[in-house]
Amino acid sequence: MRRAAVIAIGSNSTRMLAANLDDRLTARVRGREETGLFLRLDGRMAMGGDALDAVRKAVLSLQRQALAAGAGETHLIATSAVRDAGDAGALRDALEQDTGLVMRVVSGEEEALYSFLGAACAFPEGTRLGVADIGGGSTEIAAGTPAGPEYLHSAQMGAARLFRARPIHTPADVRGAVSEAGRALESLPALPQPPPREWVLVGGTGAALIGLLRGALMDADAEGDEPFARGDALRVMRLLAGLDRERRAALPGMTRGREDILPTGLAVLAALMKRLGIRHMAVTARNNTDGFLYALHRARRGSAYH
């Protein structure tokens, strides 16, 4: 069985997935490093030395993990923060020198495609599915069936981007942050008809929400998806708004490194659910790394997505 890995440099986390290239991506091995790249960008949206060093260390560590997991090939992609960074070329050159891997910066639509494929691959054929991925710098929305997406969109609003503009430090900050997120999502194109019957949330904001709702970290390899309602997201956001950083970090189930940006991530989630009329969703442990490898598998079978 051919085995491959992908490392995805995100705005908050850098993730790795190694798996067999088959219809179920079997024998998955995951890795993750919290790099907080978007918040490390300076006022000119440049990475600078500290950010470059953090990403280089993370990618080297994850490459070693991919090799240990038996990956015969490793791919390297980057998403919103690197799309925005004015010095992405310096990162690409440094990583190629460090690892031999050539970083490819994916577009917002590609990111939405990979998030959709990662979530949709576990659903029965014919299911009408919507997928949202709230990242640090952007939010991706997709809809379609496991046969392929009909709608792909990327909005320039995410947990870290909103934190830079309208951080939530107190309960008085909540309304302004949700309104700011809502304005950024007003221009979303209309969803295809008929609308999705089910909605799935991909990424760290959702996993952190479930951790706090359950009082324990969400399993990174969980097979089942975890349901929640818009009211749950609002309740947890308001809880966090009333706590300082240290007390947030001490909450059972809190994801390390999300103390600052989780409230704003939940503000984006609440605004998105209101904008699209979504009352309930389910959080999945699958993500855009699953989608990338699934697309790679399909391409090698001669049935690539477009």
Side-chain angles (χ1 to χ4, degrees), residues 11-12 38 80 83-84 111 132-141 153-167 176-188 205 261 263-272:
S11 298
N12 297 322
F38 193 92
S80 179
R83 283 199 298 270
D84 286 1
E111 191 176 352
D133 184 351
I134 297 172
S138 63
T139 292
E140 280 63 52
I141 306 101
H153 187 76
S154 179
Q156 284 286 87
M157 176 52 65
R161 191 183 298 274
L162 183 58
F163 179 81
R164 287 178 74 140
R166 296 295 294 264
V178 174
S179 296
E180 181 89 7
R183 285 190 291 273
L185 298 171
E186 283 177 352
S187 61
L188 286 179
T205 294
I261 64 169
T264 46
L266 295 174
V268 177
L269 175 60
L272 179 68

Side-chain angles (χ1 to χ4, degrees), residues 26-290:
T26 53
R28 293 186 298 268
V29 176
R30 298 188 188 274
R32 172 175 165 170
E33 300 282 345
E34 290 290 336
T35 43
L37 179 57
F38 193 92
L39 291 182
R40 291 176 183 265
L41 299 178
D42 65 20
R44 297 178 295 107
M45 299 302 282
M47 281 179 270
D50 288 346
L52 283 169
D53 287 346
V55 176
R56 290 173 72 172
K57 289 176 183 177
V59 172
L60 276 167
S61 173
L62 293 171
Q63 183 187 38
R64 288 193 291 268
Q65 293 175 47
L67 292 171
E73 59 188 89
T74 300
H75 301 262
L76 178 61
I77 62 174
T79 60
S80 179
V82 181
R83 283 199 298 270
D84 286 1
D87 53 352
L91 177 62
R92 182 185 61 247
D93 293 345
L95 290 175
E96 187 171 2
Q97 180 179 347
D98 290 345
T99 66
L101 303 176
V102 178
M103 180 185 77
R104 182 168 72 85
V105 181
V106 300
S107 68
E109 284 199 354
E110 286 181 292
E111 191 176 352
L113 170 65
Y114 295 143
S115 295
F116 180 83
L117 297 180
C121 66
F123 281 80
E125 189 173 335
T127 304
R128 293 200 61 78
L129 182 70
V131 174
D133 184 351
I134 297 172
S138 63
T139 292
E140 280 63 52
I141 306 101
T145 72
E150 304 164 8
Y151 174 105
L152 296 169
H153 187 76
S154 179
Q156 284 286 87
M157 176 52 65
R161 191 183 298 274
L162 183 58
F163 179 81
R164 287 178 74 140
R166 296 295 294 264
I168 297 177
H169 295 306
T170 71
D173 299 326
V174 167
R175 178 176 292 183
V178 174
S179 296
E180 181 89 7
R183 285 190 291 273
L185 298 171
E186 283 177 352
S187 61
L188 286 179
L191 291 168
Q193 297 298 315
R197 296 182 59 186
E198 300 187 57
W199 279 91
V200 177
L201 180 61
V202 171
T205 294
L209 170 62
I210 293 301
L212 291 176
L213 290 173
R214 303 288 184 265
L217 291 174
M218 185 174 177
D219 184 355
D221 290 311
E223 292 295 332
D225 299 339
E226 294 274 359
F228 71 94
R230 183 171 184 268
D232 295 323
L234 290 169
R235 176 164 54 86
V236 172
M237 176 177 56
R238 289 166 181 152
L239 167 68
L240 295 173
L243 302 176
D244 60 26
R245 194 174 190 277
E246 290 70 26
R247 287 190 291 169
R248 291 176 186 177
L251 290 172
M254 185 69 188
T255 303
R256 181 179 58 84
R258 298 268 168 169
E259 299 86 359
D260 291 324
I261 64 169
L262 181 54
T264 46
L266 295 174
V268 177
L269 175 60
L272 179 68
M273 293 180 78
K274 181 178 180 180
R275 170 69 179 80
L276 297 179
I278 304 168
R279 296 179 62 187
H280 298 88
M281 300 183 78
V283 174
T284 181
R286 302 179 301 281
N287 56 56
N288 56 16
T289 59
D290 298 72

